[in-house]
């Protein structure tokens, strides 16, 4: 009995050594706290404001020179459905959040305009890539013409998508990509460095180039969020070296947790905290609500990625003076047009642009991505022009 | 202390002083005291490292954020005392929040929007109670099934749309009478009421009796079925109130099930010293359990625990609390055995 | 056992056939036959070899963990930490290989050892410190998930060599490779439960633990084994899962414990202990997967499918209760 208890204790100690060591490590190594939530991919910060005009020309030509070859995949023996009715699976990361309700709305708008497209929206209730894989397998078996996905994990979803391509199903990504060869095209809402620039510029306009900021991200494993944070740090490093990054905390997809995290950050740093980046459409309202209810918006504000309807009260009361987002309805809308163009044989590998209804012509970038455009910054001036 | 009231204390010809001493020792050995001590020591440790933790505003935030967990944990404790469990609470919380929000946004009177989650909470939990008490479906299975039904049903009906533009009067949890957030009043008042009721009412004692020894309870004329219905009804009431505290905190209501909340609620009840086998546990412990969880969560941010390790440290501290409870219980048992 | 008289055996046989029809397994078979008939009418793609094999591939991970979970629930215990052990082992596999430069084979082995040790930690506390299983595993549910996040720093490991995908994405002898794992493990688990003193001991513990102790059954050793077994199987499932999805994430397997428990409970294992079978669990597992798949193929959305599964779970137990009451007395 005693011996076994000792064995148990030793085992516990072994398992827990890293846990016990961790807090110390973090405390002694303060700068590394800021690196939280990043990924290991290379960053590509855009030009700083002010340098823009000077940089514009060379940057444009530079991009034009390094044209990336088409690197998407192609379906095997896909039936020719040009001009015919098609059934499209709309598979967002999860259902039950405003953001993806908006992309679905956009898809349906475009489908109505086009008249020969049926949208079926189906997705897990939690952002789980494993569930998404099950949905893909089921719909491929059931027989679907196109899968439009927003992946919860770029790598994990890819085998299932490749299998769909092999079965002759068209695969188009939006919002969150897979590996390039697992889908034909990806409708990119905004480049990561473009988002990062808009976020950091917006923040600096509010708190100054030497302000102190913290980040509330969604889950620490969320690929888009990690990419944005990496690009934001790189961009700030280049343009605002005096910006003081305090800390990154996760809030999952949980409004209550984001609320609590924002309170903790304010209580921890007090007036030293000038701004909070809220990195998801759920973290945004949570953080802004906390700042509003604490009544600290004169010293701490939040700049978030979120939808206008969720953020309207906080944009109006000044707690979230700037909200950065593309228009998710347009994203869904563009995705539907891209799907139609692929089916009708108008968007072939090597194309440089695509027609997207009321959005006009959208450019192709990075080989097989269609770019929606620069992100929109919602402020008190323009917030009432948007309803989604 | 209540944990052991169902067991007769050893007979002894103790003097009043001896009895007082024994009472004091029982109090010092109770899970509530240990938890309270844990909360205080943890807070002091964090405070020593980062004095900002001790700011009044921060302490109030912690308590306020504990409230909806604590209130739901009160109901959960009562359910667990009877040897049952409810894993559908988070799903129920989501459903009830949506009902309240929809009523408020469609211009029904505010009091109705507040009352509705309580009424529906009680009804749904009574249905679960019926499944458990009369149809003899184990609670874990019945609530696992209900969780699926509620979760899927919520998305099915709402499509997951968020609720905006709630009327100003709706936000009960945002009010701060005397500078103290409303949820804190609810938490303490309900805990106190429940503690008194569990201890002194006949039904309260019958609940312990059913959890402690079903057969003996039946023989002494307690209707187990009625007690189970009561217990789930109370749980529904508590989840309803918890929903109000949760849903009126935010300017928008997310029509989905908050992730992992059922585990937090069950954990609060469990570290509060409720025995999962039934028969013992107190509601005060459950409230302290909820506060301890939030204190751990918040404290770790203040002492700069790496965000990647937050969950592990939290898990470790919960494990430690549970073990303390187990050892305490064992010592008490052996003391009684003597 | 083996030297009983023939008539006795026959009546035993009759009894067991009768029991099989009246037990939860019988109820499940009936529900399943109905479901298959209805679903095969509503979707022509449902009853095809390709679809069924593919579904079997998807249910393997839950199935593997459901086997030890059946043992655990028969003893009246429960293990809520399996989803976290699953995530923890998956992360360790990727981390050891990518960050610590282990050979992949060694990383796979090490991750399975780590999963097994995680199970052992649960087991030691449950058996020797007598922490109730639900409490112990509730705490380690948080702890192991936290370890997964902490050690991996939430980074995913990807880019495995081609041979690694043999286990999760390819076929072996015409059937998806991982199904062989499930078949072998199921046979092993079935024999162990139905045909050995260990199996009888497990039932005895579930019916009356103290009685089992007095009758000389090595209760501690058996209990220790089943929780360790759960850790081991979670780790094996994690390895197959990693091979299937080709990456490791710190959040993989979140909520998986409920799927596992649902399959076991649907399969007729009583949550209060004392009864249950491996074939019942497999039936429960298959029924859940068929329902999810068949409903989806018939055009029912995911949210409605969840509702149906909840209702089936409650109804099947209800029907079983009714039959037990009506025919057994």
């Amino acid at each position: 009995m005693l011996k076994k208890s000792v064995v148990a204790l030793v085992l516990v100690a072994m398992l827990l050594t890293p846990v016990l060591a961790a807090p110390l490590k973090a405390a002694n190594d303060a700068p590394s706290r800021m690196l939280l939530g990043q990924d290991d991919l290379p960053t590509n910060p855009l030009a700083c404001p002010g340098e823009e005009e000077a940089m514009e020309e060379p940057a444009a030509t530079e991009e034009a020179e390094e044209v990336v070859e088409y690197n998407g995949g192609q379906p095997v023996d896909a039936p020719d459905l040009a001009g015919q009715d098609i059934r499209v699976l709309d598979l967002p990361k999860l259902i039950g959040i405003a953001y993806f309700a908006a992309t679905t709305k956009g898809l349906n708008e475009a489908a109505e305009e086009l008249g020969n497209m049926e949208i079926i929206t189906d997705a897990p209730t939690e952002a789980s890539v494993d569930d998404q894989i099950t949905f893909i397998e089921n719909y491929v078996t059931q027989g679907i013409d196109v899968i439009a996905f927003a992946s919860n994990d770029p790598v994990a979803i890819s085998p299932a998508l490749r299998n769909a391509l092999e079965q002759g199903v068209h695969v188009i990504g939006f919002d969150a990509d897979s590996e390039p060869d697992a889908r034909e095209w990806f409708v990119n809402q905004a480049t990561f460095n473009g988002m990062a620039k808009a976020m950091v510029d917006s923040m600096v306009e509010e708190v100054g180039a030497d302000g102190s900021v913290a980040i509330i991200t969604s889950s620490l494993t969320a690929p888009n969020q990690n990419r944005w944070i990496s690009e934001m740090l790189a961009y700030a490093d280049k343009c605002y070296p005096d910006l003081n990054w305090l800390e990154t905390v996760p809030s999952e997809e949980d409004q209550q947790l984001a609320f609590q995290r924002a309170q903790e950050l304010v209580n921890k740093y007090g007036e030293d905290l000038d701004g909070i980046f809220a990195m998801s459409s759920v973290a945004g309202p949570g953080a802004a609500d906390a700042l509003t209810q604490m009544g600290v918006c004169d010293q701490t504000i939040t700049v978030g990625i979120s939808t206008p309807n969720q953020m309207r009260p906080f944009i109006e009361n000044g707690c979230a003076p700037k909200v950065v987002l593309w228009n998710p309805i347009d994203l869904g809308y563009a995705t539907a047009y891209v799907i139609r163009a692929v089916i009708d044989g108008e968007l072939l590998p090597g194309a440089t642009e695509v027609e997207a209804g009321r959005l006009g012509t959208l450019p192709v970038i990075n080989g097989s991505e269609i770019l929606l455009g620069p992100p929109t910054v919602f402020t008190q001036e323009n917030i009432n022009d948007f309803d989604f | 202390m209540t944990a052991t009231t169902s067991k007769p204390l050893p007979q002894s010809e103790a003097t009043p002083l001896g009895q007082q001493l024994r009472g004091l020792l029982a109090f010092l050995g109770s899970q509530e005291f240990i938890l309270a001590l844990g909360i205080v020591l943890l807070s002091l440790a964090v405070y020593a490292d980062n004095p900002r933790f001790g700011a009044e505003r921060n302490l109030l935030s912690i308590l306020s954020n504990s409230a909806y967990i604590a209130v739901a944990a009160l109901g959960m404790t009562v359910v667990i005392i009877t040897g049952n469990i409810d894993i559908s609470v988070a799903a129920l919380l989501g459903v009830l929040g949506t009902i309240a929000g929809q009523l408020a946004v469609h211009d029904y009177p505010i009091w109705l929007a507040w009352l509705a989650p309580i009424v529906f909470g009680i009804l749904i939990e009574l249905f679960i109670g019926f499944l458990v008490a009369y149809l003899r479906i184990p609670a874990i299975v019945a609530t696992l099934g209900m969780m699926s039904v509620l979760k899927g049903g919520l998305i099915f009906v709402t499509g997951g749309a968020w609720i905006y533009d709630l009327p100003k009067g709706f936000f009960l949890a945002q009010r701060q009478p005397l500078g103290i957030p409303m949820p804190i009043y609810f938490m303490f008042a309900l805990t106190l009421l429940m503690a008194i009721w569990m201890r002194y009412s006949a039904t309260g004692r019958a609940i312990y009796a059913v959890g402690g020894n079903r057969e003996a309870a039946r023989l002494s004329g307690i209707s187990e079925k009625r007690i189970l219905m009561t217990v789930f009804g109370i749980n529904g009431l508590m989840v309803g109130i918890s929903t109000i505290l949760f849903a009126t905190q935010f300017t928008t209501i997310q029509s989905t099930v908050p992730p992992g909340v059922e585990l937090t609620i069950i954990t609060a009840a469990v570290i509060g010293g409720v025995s999962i086998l039934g028969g013992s546990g107190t509601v005060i412990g459950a409230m302290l359990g909820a506060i301890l969880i939030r204190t751990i969560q918040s404290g770790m941010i203040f002492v700069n625990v790496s965000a990647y390790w937050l969950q592990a440290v939290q898990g470790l501290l919960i494990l430690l609390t549970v073990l303390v409870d187990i050892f305490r219980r064992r010592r008490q048992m052996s003391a009684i055995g003597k | 056992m083996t030297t009983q008289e023939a008539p006795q055996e026959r009546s035993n046989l009759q009894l067991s056939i009768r029991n099989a029809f009246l037990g939860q397994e019988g109820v499940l078979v009936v529900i399943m036959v109905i479901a298959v008939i209805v679903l095969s009418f509503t979707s022509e793609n449902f009853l095809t070899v390709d679809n069924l094999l593919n579904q079997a591939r998807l249910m393997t991970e839950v199935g593997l963990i459901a086997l030890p979970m059946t043992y655990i629930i028969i003893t009246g215990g429960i293990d809520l930490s399996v989803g976290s052990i699953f995530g923890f082992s998956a992360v360790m596999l990727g981390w050891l290989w990518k960050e610590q430069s282990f050979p992949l084979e060694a990383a796979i082995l090490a991750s399975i050892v780590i999963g097994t040790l995680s199970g052992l930690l649960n087991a030691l506390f449950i058996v020797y410190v007598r922490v109730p299983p639900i409490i112990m595993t509730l705490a380690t549910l948080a702890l192991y998930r936290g370890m997964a996040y902490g050690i991996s720093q939430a980074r995913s490991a990807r880019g495995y060599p081609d041979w690694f995908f043999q286990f999760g994405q390819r076929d072996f002898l015409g059937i998806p490779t991982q199904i062989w794992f499930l078949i072998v493990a199921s046979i092993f688990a079935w024999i162990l439960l139905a045909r050995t003193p260990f199996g009888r001991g497990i039932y005895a513990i579930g019916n009356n633990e103290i009685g089992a102790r007095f009758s000389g059954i090595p209760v501690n050793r058996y209990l220790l084994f089943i929780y360790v077994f759960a850790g081991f199987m979670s780790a094996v499932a994690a390895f197959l899962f990693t091979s299937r999805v080709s990456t490791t994430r710190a959040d993989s397997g979140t909520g998986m414990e409920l799927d596992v428990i649902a399959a076991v409970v649907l399969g007729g294992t009583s949550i209060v202990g004392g009864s249950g079978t491996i074939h019942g669990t497999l039936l429960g597992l298959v029924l859940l997967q068929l329902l999810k798949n068949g409903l989806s193929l018939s055009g029912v959305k995911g949210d409605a499918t969840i509702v149906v599964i909840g209702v089936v779970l409650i109804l099947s137990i209800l029907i079983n209760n009714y039959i037990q009451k009506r025919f057994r007395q």
Side-chain angles (χ1 to χ4, degrees):
Chain A
M1 177 80 192
L2 185 72
K3 213 169 80 189
K4 276 157 186 160
S5 301
V6 172
V7 172
L9 284 175
V10 169
L11 200 72
V12 177
M14 263 166 48
L15 265 167
L16 299 181
T17 321
V19 185
L20 295 170
L24 302 170
K25 207 174 84 190
N28 295 339
D29 196 8
S32 78
R33 293 177 55 69
M34 208 48 238
L35 302 178
L36 293 177
Q38 284 194 83
D39 53 23
D40 302 324
L41 303 173
T43 54
N44 182 21
L46 293 178
C48 304
E51 293 173 30
E52 262 158 9
E53 287 90 57
M55 292 284 287
E56 197 79 54
E57 280 307 300
T61 48
E62 205 178 308
E63 260 174 43
E65 272 164 27
E66 48 165 326
V67 170
V68 184
E69 294 265 316
Y70 177 79
N71 57 358
Q74 285 292 314
V76 179
D77 298 330
D80 180 19
L81 295 165
Q84 296 176 39
D85 285 356
I86 49 170
R87 292 170 74 236
V88 177
L89 169 65
D90 165 31
L91 179 70
K93 286 183 183 180
L94 73 166
I95 43 177
I97 67 173
Y99 174 78
F100 284 113
T103 57
T104 298
K105 192 174 158 196
L107 274 160
N108 282 308
E109 266 177 27
E112 224 163 87
E113 281 178 27
L114 291 162
N116 50 6
M117 184 186 284
E118 184 197 348
I119 308 285
I120 301 157
T121 304
D122 204 356
T125 52
E126 273 153 56
S128 145
V129 72
D130 195 26
D131 287 349
Q132 277 191 310
I133 292 169
T134 308
F135 278 100
I136 293 170
E137 307 268 3
N138 280 343
Y139 275 92
V140 169
T141 307
Q142 182 191 341
I144 191 100
D145 301 316
V146 183
I147 294 174
F149 70 91
S151 78
N152 283 314
D153 184 286
V155 179
I157 202 170
S158 294
L161 293 177
R162 279 190 205 105
N163 178 45
L165 285 173
E166 272 164 35
Q167 307 288 322
V169 178
H170 289 280
V171 179
I172 312 286
F174 68 96
D175 184 75
D177 205 358
S178 63
E179 289 173 341
D181 68 313
R183 48 58 179 170
E184 291 160 83
W185 298 90
F186 172 65
V187 185
N188 194 343
Q189 59 274 30
T191 52
F192 289 108
N193 49 12
M195 277 302 287
K197 177 176 159 61
M199 291 285 281
V200 176
D201 283 346
S202 298
M203 181 61 89
V204 166
E205 280 169 32
E206 297 297 325
V207 305
D210 58 349
S212 294
V213 293
I215 300 177
I216 298 180
T217 183
S218 62
S219 150
L220 290 170
T221 48
N224 274 4
Q225 271 74 10
N226 288 344
R227 207 74 269 286
W228 283 323
I229 293 174
S230 296
E231 289 286 358
M232 277 159 57
L233 293 177
Y235 177 72
D237 224 28
K238 179 175 160 194
C239 301
Y240 309 106
D242 293 335
L243 204 58
N244 181 20
W245 299 85
L246 295 169
E247 149 161 42
T248 303
V249 288
S251 69
E252 310 308 325
E253 289 288 330
D254 184 349
Q255 197 185 3
Q256 206 283 333
L257 192 57
F259 178 83
Q260 194 181 325
R261 290 284 178 246
Q263 285 182 328
E264 282 157 7
L265 288 173
V266 170
N267 286 332
K268 180 175 172 183
Y269 294 106
E271 54 274 27
D272 297 342
L273 178 67
D274 300 312
I276 296 175
F277 286 107
M279 302 303 296
S280 83
S281 64
V282 180
D289 235 329
L291 298 180
T292 306
Q293 289 179 33
M294 294 175 89
V296 293
C297 299
D298 48 343
Q299 51 175 334
T300 308
I301 52 96
T302 180
V303 168
I305 299 176
S306 200
T307 60
N309 277 357
Q310 287 173 318
M311 297 301 281
R312 181 166 287 116
F314 311 114
I315 292 178
E316 281 164 1
N317 74 10
C319 288
K322 292 197 167 64
V323 173
V324 182
L325 195 70
W326 51 93
N327 185 329
I329 298 182
D330 287 352
L331 178 59
Y333 182 91
T335 306
Y337 270 89
V338 167
I339 289 168
R340 198 66 246 183
V342 169
I343 297 284
D344 295 348
E346 286 159 15
L347 180 60
L348 296 169
T352 54
E353 55 183 35
V354 61
E355 285 295 325
R358 63 173 157 82
L359 299 175
T361 307
L362 300 178
V364 171
I365 59 166
N366 299 338
S368 56
E369 294 178 12
I370 289 116
L371 181 62
L372 188 62
T376 311
V377 179
F378 304 107
T379 60
Q380 280 182 0
E381 281 76 52
N382 66 5
I383 180 72
N384 288 321
D385 304 339
F386 300 93
D387 180 26
F388 59 83
Chain B
M1 306 164 285
T2 351
T4 50
T5 42
S6 56
K7 300 188 174 62
L9 285 167
Q11 293 296 323
S12 65
E13 57 278 37
T15 58
L17 182 70
Q19 267 172 3
Q20 274 177 358
L21 208 68
R22 200 191 304 278
L24 183 69
L25 282 176
F27 172 69
L28 291 180
S30 71
Q31 181 72 1
E32 291 93 326
F33 179 76
I34 292 172
L35 278 179
L37 193 70
I39 294 170
V40 170
L41 286 181
L42 184 67
S43 302
L44 284 177
V46 176
Y47 176 72
D49 187 73
N50 187 341
R52 282 182 189 271
F53 182 80
E56 186 194 336
R57 184 170 70 181
N58 188 50
L59 300 180
L60 287 179
S61 306
I62 292 174
L63 288 178
S64 177
N65 287 326
S66 315
Y68 80 96
I69 295 290
V71 172
L74 298 179
M76 184 66 77
T77 303
V78 180
V79 171
I80 297 181
I81 286 173
T82 61
N84 290 296
I85 198 160
D86 182 358
I87 45 182
S88 68
V89 277
L92 189 52
L93 208 68
V95 169
L96 297 178
T98 305
I99 291 175
Q102 286 295 350
L103 287 176
V105 108
H106 286 97
D107 294 330
Y108 287 91
I110 300 291
W111 61 265
L112 193 66
W114 286 343
L115 188 66
I118 297 178
V119 172
F120 281 101
I122 293 176
L123 287 178
I124 292 172
E125 285 288 339
L126 280 179
F127 176 68
I128 295 176
F130 175 74
L131 291 177
V132 174
Y134 290 91
L135 300 182
R136 299 249 149 248
I137 298 181
I140 193 166
V141 182
T143 55
L144 192 64
M146 274 311 276
M147 181 181 82
S148 281
V149 172
L150 292 170
K151 213 179 201 175
L154 179 63
I155 299 283
F156 188 70
V157 173
T158 65
W162 287 40
I163 303 169
Y164 315 110
D165 300 328
L166 291 154
K168 282 274 172 285
F170 180 69
F171 302 113
L172 182 69
Q174 295 184 16
R175 296 189 190 170
Q176 303 203 343
L178 307 175
I180 295 172
M182 197 61 130
I184 300 180
Y185 291 102
F186 271 86
M187 175 169 73
F188 284 120
L190 286 169
T191 307
L192 197 65
L193 277 177
M194 283 296 287
I196 293 171
W197 185 77
M198 287 297 283
R199 185 141 193 194
Y200 297 107
S201 76
T203 317
R205 285 199 299 271
I207 290 172
Y208 281 109
V210 166
N213 188 338
R214 227 154 258 234
E215 196 55 24
R218 199 176 59 77
L219 290 175
S220 62
I222 294 170
S223 160
E224 189 197 337
K225 289 179 176 143
R226 280 239 308 279
I227 290 296
L228 284 181
M229 292 299 278
T230 314
V231 158
F232 278 97
I234 290 171
N235 188 33
L237 171 70
M238 290 301 159
V239 176
I241 298 174
S242 168
T243 301
I244 299 172
L245 299 181
F246 176 71
T248 60
Q249 183 81 66
F250 307 114
T251 315
T252 51
I253 293 178
Q254 205 178 348
S255 305
T256 42
V257 174
V261 170
E262 67 272 26
L263 288 180
T264 315
I265 294 170
I266 295 173
T267 308
V270 164
I271 62 181
V274 62
S275 161
I276 213 87
L277 306 171
S280 73
T282 71
V283 290
I284 297 177
M287 180 194 77
L288 291 171
I291 297 175
L292 179 65
I293 292 175
R294 287 293 189 237
T295 312
I296 293 172
Q297 278 182 350
S298 179
M300 285 189 303
I301 297 279
F302 278 83
V303 296
N304 287 334
V305 174
S306 155
Y308 293 118
W309 289 101
L310 286 178
Q311 243 182 328
V313 177
Q314 194 180 334
L316 179 64
L317 290 176
I318 289 170
L319 183 59
L320 285 180
T321 319
V322 166
L323 290 179
V324 167
D325 183 36
I326 301 282
F327 283 115
R328 176 192 64 83
R329 217 180 273 272
R330 178 138 341 129
R331 276 188 49 192
Q332 250 167 19
M333 293 294 252
S334 60
I336 289 166
K338 265 177 216 160
Chain C
M1 280 295 265
T2 47
T3 54
Q4 271 169 346
E5 289 169 40
Q8 180 83 29
E9 235 166 52
R10 184 172 303 152
S11 76
N12 270 350
L13 188 70
Q14 279 172 347
L15 200 66
S16 63
I17 288 175
R18 193 180 124 90
N19 281 352
F21 272 102
L22 293 182
Q24 176 78 0
E25 291 91 344
V27 175
L28 279 185
V29 169
V30 173
I31 295 180
M32 199 180 297
V33 168
I34 295 171
V36 167
I37 292 172
V38 172
L39 293 171
S40 62
F41 273 109
T42 52
S43 167
E44 58 193 27
N45 299 312
F46 174 66
L47 214 55
T48 60
V49 175
D50 272 356
N51 181 46
L52 296 181
L53 283 181
N54 202 15
Q55 291 307 311
R57 191 194 284 277
L58 294 175
M59 74 183 190
T60 300
E61 292 114 19
V62 170
L64 284 175
I65 306 177
L67 301 173
M69 188 68 91
T70 308
Y71 292 169
I72 292 174
I73 296 183
I74 289 175
T75 65
I78 200 156
D79 189 341
L80 298 176
S81 69
V82 286
S84 295
I85 296 181
F86 179 91
F88 183 35
S89 319
V91 155
M92 289 309 287
L93 196 171
W95 181 76
L96 287 173
W97 174 65
K98 191 112 184 176
E99 311 272 332
Q100 304 298 311
S101 316
F102 274 47
L104 188 49
E105 295 87 343
I108 294 169
L109 279 180
S111 77
I112 292 176
V113 170
I114 287 167
T116 312
L117 284 180
S118 308
L120 179 62
L121 181 71
N122 284 340
L124 288 173
F125 276 94
I126 290 167
V127 174
Y128 293 112
V129 192
R130 310 217 55 74
V131 183
I134 192 169
I135 296 185
M136 184 62 203
T137 56
L138 189 63
T140 51
L141 168 104
L143 180 62
Y144 295 150
R145 179 67 61 195
M147 301 281 288
Y149 271 98
I151 290 178
S152 70
Q153 301 283 292
R155 287 191 160 91
S156 56
R158 48 186 75 159
Y160 296 91
D162 191 60
W163 65 264
F164 184 64
F165 300 123
Q166 172 63 40
F167 301 98
Q169 297 181 20
R170 312 244 169 83
D171 294 351
F172 180 69
L173 299 181
I175 310 186
T177 315
Q178 61 261 63
I179 298 176
W180 290 107
F181 281 75
L182 183 59
I183 292 173
V184 172
S186 301
I187 293 172
F188 173 74
W190 187 84
I191 291 175
L192 211 54
L193 184 63
R195 290 281 177 273
T196 64
F198 166 79
R200 288 190 291 278
I202 293 289
Y203 286 114
I205 294 171
N207 281 318
N208 181 348
E209 190 178 328
I210 296 168
R213 275 180 205 280
F214 278 116
S215 59
I217 293 168
V219 172
N220 284 357
R221 214 186 312 150
Y222 285 179
L223 286 178
L224 211 56
F225 170 75
I226 57 177
Y227 288 97
V228 171
F229 189 36
F232 171 76
M233 286 307 242
S234 305
V236 172
F239 150 60
L240 293 175
F241 178 78
T242 307
S243 170
R244 175 158 74 84
V245 303
S246 59
T247 181
T248 57
R249 292 168 58 91
D251 60 357
S252 49
T254 306
M256 194 181 198
E257 58 280 355
L258 293 183
D259 291 342
V260 173
I261 294 169
V264 174
V265 169
L266 188 60
T269 301
S270 160
I271 202 89
V272 292
S275 69
T277 57
I278 292 293
H279 50 279
T281 295
L282 291 174
L283 280 173
L285 176 75
V286 171
L287 179 59
L288 282 179
Q289 193 69 31
L290 284 182
L291 277 179
K292 272 190 216 168
N293 170 243
L295 290 172
S296 171
L297 294 188
S298 312
V300 179
K301 299 245 178 100
D303 39 16
T305 304
I306 302 178
V307 175
V308 173
I309 286 172
V311 172
V312 167
L313 189 61
I314 294 177
L315 273 186
S316 76
I317 307 288
L318 207 59
I319 295 170
N320 189 32
N321 279 2
Y322 174 75
I323 291 175
Q324 301 297 329
K325 211 164 156 186
R326 184 74 200 271
F327 294 96
R328 282 286 166 86
Q329 287 173 354

